Amino acid sequence: MEAAPCISQIAGLLAEPKRIAMLWALMDGSAKSSEELARLAGLTPASANAHLARLIGSGLLRAEARRGRRLFRVAAADVSHAIDALASTTLASAARASPDAPLPVLAAPPALRQARLCHGHLGGELAAGLYARMRAAGWIERYEQRLDITVKGAHRLASLGIFTQALASPLACDCFDWSQQHPHLGGTLGAGLLQLFLQSNWVSLVNESQALQINAVGHAEIARLAANE
């Protein structure tokens, strides 16, 4: 129980709405000035600087000088992971509390909406579109609550260098995350596809964030997967 006070200290910092608003604005890996963060969080410059000082002092943010300006960014990837987990838990707990109610929409920075890391696999709009195409093309089929890779899907994936028989369980599952209202592919197959995209240099990580940057070749190649079948 000795660790509990340390956990509560960080939790208390993240619980303040204005501070989490500034951290949320930096989740895409960007660096922003105190003036910009103050405007985004609805704070006066003096209040923003006070909050930023606490976030830097706690190790959640870091400051850097760029062309005479002082900019702020997330200090490390674990900070982004923690905020991402809180966002996911927000939606999951809302779904458990009111199963028939629509889920709240968490407005994400555009880079996170497009493509992001989600529990070790690809999330965001790009992932949801790919998953929909894979199901429509017959690569994946649902049997009650279970997802299975079809013979056709296994053959197509093998041609990409992903051998489903070598992957651990769970191979495929629906995954919902806070940046999308539609599911994307989870499981070891989802992780394998992300590794393929990274190794092919189609996507790349953005600083210490959850955001993924997709280049032009990556957009074209991923859009071709499971399309027109």
Side-chain angles (χ1 to χ4, degrees), residues 102-156:
L103 291 176
V105 177
L106 302 183
L112 292 182
R113 288 199 304 270
Q114 183 180 43
R116 58 183 291 274
L117 287 175
C118 180
H119 308 298
H121 54 258
L122 182 67
E125 294 169 355
L126 191 70
L130 174 59
Y131 184 37
R133 292 196 306 276
M134 291 174 71
R135 293 192 61 186
W139 292 23
I140 299 173
E141 290 182 350
R142 179 180 296 282
Y143 296 95
E144 296 180 349
Q145 300 301 313
R146 190 180 78 250
L147 286 179
D148 285 339
I149 309 302
T150 64
V151 173
K152 176 184 178 181
H155 178 73
R156 295 287 195 274

Side-chain angles (χ1 to χ4, degrees), residues 1 5 12 27 57 61 71 82 86-87 97 148 155 166 171 178 181 206 209:
M1 296 301 293
M27 280 284 285
L61 288 185
L71 301 179
L86 287 172
D148 285 339
H155 178 73
L171 181 60
W178 55 260
Q181 295 297 310
V206 179
S209 76

Side-chain angles (χ1 to χ4, degrees), residues 12-34:
L13 285 167
L14 296 178
E16 207 291 320
K18 298 300 185 181
R19 284 197 286 270
I20 201 67
M22 290 192 285
L23 285 164
W24 189 255
L26 298 171
M27 280 284 285
D28 59 357
S30 60
K32 292 180 170 61
S33 67
S34 60

Side-chain angles (χ1 to χ4, degrees), residues 127-129 131-132 135 174-176 180-185:
Y131 184 37
R135 293 192 61 186
D174 284 339
C175 183
F176 292 84
Q180 280 289 296
Q181 295 297 310
H182 301 287
H184 58 254
L185 182 65

